[in-house]
Amino acid sequence: MRSWFGDLFRRHPFELRFDGELPRVAAARGEAAPPHQRFWLRAPGALPDEPLVHAAALAYASDMLLLSTSLAPHARAVGAPDVAAASLDHAVWFHRPTRVDDWHCYEQESSWAAGGRSLMHGRVFDRSGRLVMTVAQEGMVRALGPR
């Protein structure tokens, strides 16, 4: 788990603060977890005063960890040697401009996972609790062997 967290912070150019235990931690113990998670994120430094830069950064961040929610009830994790997973499509809806160099709360959940496919949803709120973006993603998730 420590190496995964270290890799996560090296791969993604965002500061992250998790609200509770991630489903991946339960999966590492062989335990199922509810198909949802929540964390706070922000760019690690000031970004230019260009709304498009902030929208692009938030769209990029919206793919982080979303697929993992669909595996939580199955006690599996993205990146594990016994799991194949990939995003099939990813859509975002921007509801208002925001600054990604300020903290945002990202709530993620999976409403369905079966037959090698999954459906996830996300909502991103600014620090004051206003909804700034909604996300939907379909994924491919397959167990490559018994647990």
Side-chain angles (χ1 to χ4, degrees), residues 10-123:
R10 279 189 291 279
R11 283 192 323 263
H12 297 291
F14 295 94
E15 291 182 48
L16 303 173
R17 301 290 183 269
F18 300 106
D19 183 10
E21 182 179 84
L22 291 177
R24 166 178 286 283
V25 176
R29 294 190 305 261
E31 300 171 4
H36 56 80
Q37 60 194 6
R38 180 171 55 198
F39 57 93
W40 290 84
L41 67 94
R42 73 174 175 184
L47 294 177
D49 289 334
E50 297 286 336
L52 190 56
V53 169
H54 291 269
L58 193 56
Y60 174 83
S62 71
D63 191 43
M64 289 190 315
L65 305 176
L66 188 56
L67 192 57
S68 63
T69 60
S70 68
L71 293 169
H74 308 283
R76 299 199 183 241
V78 172
D82 62 345
V83 172
S87 298
L88 298 178
D89 58 52
H90 187 90
V92 299
W93 293 268
F94 295 100
H95 306 302
R96 61 177 33 93
T98 191
R99 292 199 57 94
V100 182
D101 45 14
D102 194 11
W103 287 105
H104 289 76
C105 180
Y106 191 5
E107 295 180 347
Q108 301 176 330
E109 66 180 348
S110 174
S111 57
W112 176 80
R117 305 283 285 277
S118 60
L119 182 63
M120 292 74 57
H121 308 278
R123 297 182 308 164

Side-chain angles (χ1 to χ4, degrees), residues 104-143:
H104 289 76
C105 180
Y106 191 5
E107 295 180 347
Q108 301 176 330
E109 66 180 348
S110 174
S111 57
W112 176 80
R117 305 283 285 277
S118 60
L119 182 63
M120 292 74 57
H121 308 278
R123 297 182 308 164
V124 179
F125 301 89
D126 66 15
R127 183 191 291 253
S128 65
R130 294 179 303 171
L131 181 65
V132 297
M133 187 173 71
T134 301
V135 179
Q137 182 178 64
E138 181 184 21
M140 181 277 298
V141 289
R142 295 204 173 108

